[in-house]
Structure formats: C-alpha cells, structure tokens
Amino acid sequence: MTDIRETVILGSGCAGLTAAIYTARAGLNPLVLEGHEPGGQLSITTLVENFPGWPEGIQGPELIENMKKQAARFGATYQLAHLQSVALNAHPFRLQTSVGEIHARTLIVASGASARWLGLPSEQALIGHGVSSCATCDGFFFRGKEIAVVGGGDSAMEEALFLTRFATKVTLLHRRESFRASKIMLERAIAHPNIELRTNTIVEEVLGAEEKDVRGLRLRDVTNGQKSELKISGLFLGIGHVPNARMFAGQIDLDEDGYIRTMNNVMTTLNGVIVPGVFACGDVQDRRYRQAVTAAGSGCMAALEAEKFLEEHGH
Ligand code: NAP
C-alpha cells in the first residue's frame, strides 16, 4: 500500500525549505520533493545582501544548505523527484512523481518560478552553447570574452555585475528607456567601467546557430528601427521568471500569467472556493515581492496552515 504522508512539500527553495522547517518541527515528518531545480533560485545566485541576520551577506547556496540542514534536524526528508501529475479531488491527494505514487494529507506547493527565455528559435538552439540564464553557473566559460546580458531588472544588473569577473566587456541590453531595477543595483551597473548599457534595444536573432557557438547578436533599435550586429561570445538572459504551476491548471485557480491565486496569501482556491489541505507559498504565487525573505515568510504561513488543517481533521 502507498505510504500516506502528513505533508508533502513541492520544491526546495527558500519557501519550501522554510515550510519544511516549520512542519518538521511540528512533528509532521514532511517529505520535500526537490524538483527540477533543487534549492531554487537562491542556489544559483551569489551574495544575498538583504536576508535579515547576515550583516555581511551570505552566499545563496550556503543559505539554502543551512535551511536544508535545519529542516533535516527536525525530521524533514528529501527526495530528488519531480511531479508528473496530481489529483486533488480525492483526499489524501494522489501525486504521480518520477519516483512513484505518493499520497499526502496536506500539500504545500512551493515550486517557484523558472527563468524566462526570449523564445527566439536561434536562442533556443544555442542554449548551452553560449546562451544561458544562469551567470553563476556558466559565467566561468566566458573568461576574457565579450558578452551581452538582456533585461532591465535587478536580475539583469546582478548578472551583468557578476559577469564582469570573467568577461572583458558586458553589454547590457534593455528593451525600454527606463529600468525596473532598484536604484542601488542600477547605479552599480552604470558605474562599472566594463559594463555598457544600451536601452531601447531588442535582440532579433542570436548569430551562430549553424556553428553551434554564439558569435553575435542581430539587434534592433526600437526608436528608429535601425538594425545592427553586436559581436559577442555569450548571451545571458535576465528577463524574469515564469511560475511552475501548469500541472495544477483546472484543479486550483491560476491567474492570467500562470501564478497560483491564493487567499490570505497561502490558501489556494478553485473558482474562489478554498481547496482544503492545499497551500501555496513563494514565487509560484507571488508576482509582486519575489524576495527570499517574503518566500520564507509565506513558507512559514503555509506550514502553520497545514498544521492547523491536520489538527482540525484529527491527524
Ligand atoms: P523583473 O523585475 O520582472 O525584470 C525583468 C526585466 O526583463 C524587465 O526589465 C523586463 O522589461 C525585461 N523583460 C521581460 N521580458 C522580456 C522580453 N521578452 N524581452 C526583453 N526584455 C524582457 O525580474 P527580475 O529582474 O528577475 O527581478 C525579480 C524580483 O527579484 C524583483 O523583485 C527584484 O527586485 C528581485 N531581485 C532582487 C535582487 C537583489 O536585490 N540583489 C536580485 C535579483 C532579483 P520591462 O522593464 O520592459 O518590463
């Protein structure tokens, strides 16, 4: 017979691991399914300067590792697996995963969000051959080269700044005139001698698909339509993320961009009616704040709701 878990947590980023700490400490022996990107976005970032309690900052992967150990100390277990399908119309919920079927009395969805791509065929063809969405993973390969970063938010600034450790020149391309990035990050990028900012510019094609190696970009200036070529060896995307919630379509409410709609921040609903026992936290339900500390906060809230639900149902 399939084992019934009190709590299954989908995702092992900041939100999922905080939910694991709380539910484990409450004696619920949570099972954390680590998903496609174990550790979530923090595990591929560098210095986190705004997580309270670390006056000098802490490296993202170290922060995640600490959370993982903290939850394990109270009995959380981890499984490298991803969800294939889910049935929320029966209780306990039935989860089909890459390692078999799991039954859960409560489900905490903390599946986060994954990098967004431009969607150009030439970009897709060159992922892993000079096109990347992870500066910390792939920056090292561009030592002594010229590269470009696309985006106008904090992620793009952070990537551009990080990549100056390796690349001789980073051109930051943004589709508009004004930036979404915070003032401090934008100022750092502007002040850096090896970063050049180009606004009102979009990438039309990544050159090098035939050679299977990025050799440049075909760009268009949106103000006058003028096309140009930029010679670079690497392209990094820093254009935001898309929520990992597609597998829940039809079983809980998703908004027009695919984020899980929640009530009281973590309760999920179907047609506005609460789905008992299913909670969502972190970036999969947060289109506004998307910070490590807000993800952690909502992970805590989801865990407390799960605990309350189980108690109310006599478990
Ligand atoms: P974001 O703030 O949503 O910015 C995405 C950027 O990509 C925007 O400038 C957007 O342009 C651009 N973009 C989106 N789709 C595009 C497309 N198809 N083609 C070209 N450009 C496109 O996302 P983010 O930078 O990942 O940041 C997300 C959140 O995490 C924010 O709250 C941010 O503050 C936070 N964060 C903080 C730090 C830090 O404090 N160190 C680091 C990273 C992230 P438009 O502006 O024209 O829409």
Side-chain angles (χ1 to χ4, degrees), residues 41 45 47 49-50 116-118 150-156 158 173-176 178-182 185 201-202 238-241 288-291:
Q41 291 175 51
T45 192
L47 192 64
E49 289 184 308
N50 49 13
R116 173 179 285 132
W117 300 94
L118 294 170
V150 181
D154 281 335
S155 297
E158 193 175 68
L173 306 165
H174 179 39
R175 63 182 176 183
R176 288 190 297 142
S178 55
F179 288 89
R180 205 177 278 276
S182 57
M185 298 293 282
T201 302
I202 60 169
I239 59 171
H241 291 82
R288 187 176 172 88
Y289 300 107
R290 298 175 292 178
Q291 303 298 302

Side-chain angles (χ1 to χ4, degrees), residues 143-297:
R143 193 176 286 281
K145 302 199 169 147
E146 297 196 3
I147 56 146
V149 172
V150 181
D154 281 335
S155 297
M157 302 303 138
E158 193 175 68
E159 287 201 357
L161 287 161
F162 177 75
L163 288 165
T164 58
R165 294 185 193 185
F166 311 103
T168 48
K169 183 178 175 193
V170 178
T171 306
L172 194 132
L173 306 165
H174 179 39
R175 63 182 176 183
R176 288 190 297 142
E177 184 63 38
S178 55
F179 288 89
R180 205 177 278 276
S182 57
K183 195 162 171 272
I184 181 169
M185 298 293 282
L186 181 60
E187 280 172 357
R188 279 184 200 167
I190 290 171
H192 200 290
N194 295 349
I195 298 179
E196 183 187 326
L197 281 79
R198 276 174 72 168
T199 53
N200 297 314
T201 302
I202 60 169
V203 177
E204 285 200 329
E205 190 185 349
V206 187
L207 306 172
E210 272 178 21
E211 300 90 332
K212 273 272 170 212
D213 197 16
V214 171
R215 56 182 181 78
L217 301 175
R218 202 175 70 240
L219 304 174
R220 181 162 58 87
D221 183 322
V222 293
T223 58
N224 55 21
Q226 216 159 51
K227 300 197 188 224
S228 62
E229 276 192 17
L230 178 69
K231 220 171 149 256
I232 43 122
S233 309
L235 173 67
F236 286 83
L237 285 311
I239 59 171
H241 291 82
V242 283
N244 297 317
R246 267 192 310 274
M247 63 286 217
F248 293 101
Q251 303 197 67
I252 50 181
D253 289 332
L254 305 182
D255 74 10
E256 58 284 5
D257 293 324
Y259 287 88
I260 295 179
R261 278 191 219 273
T262 52
M263 191 181 271
N264 297 340
N265 296 317
V266 292
M267 313 247 213
T268 63
T269 65
L270 178 61
N271 302 325
V273 178
I274 287 175
V275 181
V278 185
F279 309 96
C281 53
D283 283 9
V284 73
Q285 55 84 52
D286 175 14
R287 54 159 58 251
R288 187 176 172 88
Y289 300 107
R290 298 175 292 178
Q291 303 298 302
V293 69
T294 52

Side-chain angles (χ1 to χ4, degrees), residues 55-76:
E56 307 302 327
I58 179 169
Q59 292 292 324
E62 192 186 346
L63 181 59
I64 285 295
E65 205 41 49
N66 287 349
M67 289 185 186
K68 227 177 139 173
K69 279 193 206 140
Q70 196 173 347
R73 183 157 82 85
F74 298 116

Side-chain angles (χ1 to χ4, degrees), residues 137-143 145 166:
C137 318
D138 300 324
F140 181 78
F141 300 116
F142 298 90
R143 193 176 286 281
K145 302 199 169 147
F166 311 103

